[in-house]
Each structure stands twice: as structure tokens, then as C-alpha cells.
Amino acid sequence: MRSEILEKHRDAKIEVYAIWFRSLMADFRFFVPSGALDDLRVTNLWDDQKAAGKWYAANVTRRGAAAEWDAWILYAPGKAFADPPLGWGRTIVDTRERLRAELESLLLSRNSHAED
């Protein structure tokens, strides 16, 4: 995410919400890699109750997981979390090319509308 999207689009108006929670036995709040997403456009949140993961599993991805994790969900500017996303994928590593392509398509669309 950082090297393939944020660093390549330094001037893009992107908001990233990274929601961390304990999913694996070794996951603890103090082990969250502080430098992993240290871009100013990223808000890092700790969700001890997995509330966001549970909500996304039930309302967006609907793949039968108790809580969604290691996933990305892309929204158009101005959309609320309850609105349908433009796309989503998991795992982040396995679907990073689709995320990059969908985000760049959105940025291109926004730039072409700004020029009109």
C-alpha cells in the first residue's frame, strides 16, 4: 500500500483508514508496525472489539467470515461507509494490483472532471 500507492501518488487527495485488530495469536496493539503506514493521509486505528471487521463482513464482503481482515475497501470521495464501495479485495497482497488499478482509475476520473 505504501510503496505501490501512497508513494507513487504523493499529491493525490487520498484518505486511508487502516483498522488494526487482533486476528492472529501474535497480533497485539503494541506490535502494530508504526512505520508501515506513516503517510499523513493515513489514519491508523486500533479496534479491540473487531467492530469494523464484523460490520464489513456482515454488510459489504459477505463472504462468511466472522470479521473481515487483511482487506481493502475503496470508496468514491464523499461516500459514507454504509454506501456501496467501488470495490474491495483480500488479501491486500494478493489483490494489490486490482486495488492500484481501481484507485488510479478513480484518480484519473477525478482529474478529468476537475479539468472540465
Side-chain angles (χ1 to χ4, degrees):
M1 166 63 96
R2 187 177 84 205
S3 64
E4 294 183 31
I5 293 176
L6 295 172
E7 289 178 5
K8 288 183 180 176
H9 301 282
R10 291 186 187 277
D11 296 328
K13 292 183 180 178
I14 300 171
E15 292 180 35
V16 176
Y17 296 89
I19 304 171
W20 306 86
F21 56 79
R22 189 170 185 197
S23 189
L24 303 172
M25 291 301 291
D27 292 341
F28 289 97
R29 185 177 194 163
F30 53 86
F31 285 147
V32 172
S34 61
L37 294 172
D38 57 357
D39 188 286
L40 292 176
R41 298 167 292 175
V42 177
T43 301
N44 287 283
L45 304 164
W46 180 261
D47 183 6
D48 201 40
Q49 302 301 312
K50 300 181 186 178
K54 291 174 184 176
W55 186 88
Y56 276 104
N59 296 288
V60 176
T61 63
R62 296 185 177 106
R63 60 180 192 87
E68 195 58 70
W69 64 287
D70 197 6
W72 57 268
I73 297 148
L74 180 65
Y75 289 94
K79 295 295 182 182
F81 294 118
D83 291 331
L86 294 175
W88 74 274
R90 83 171 300 277
T91 64
I92 294 170
V93 170
D94 289 345
T95 61
R96 69 185 179 274
E97 285 303 314
R98 191 171 78 219
L99 169 59
R100 185 194 50 75
E102 289 190 28
L103 179 64
E104 287 178 352
S105 175
L106 177 62
L107 292 173
L108 185 62
S109 170
R110 284 175 51 191
N111 288 340
S112 67
H113 289 306
E115 294 173 2
D116 292 342

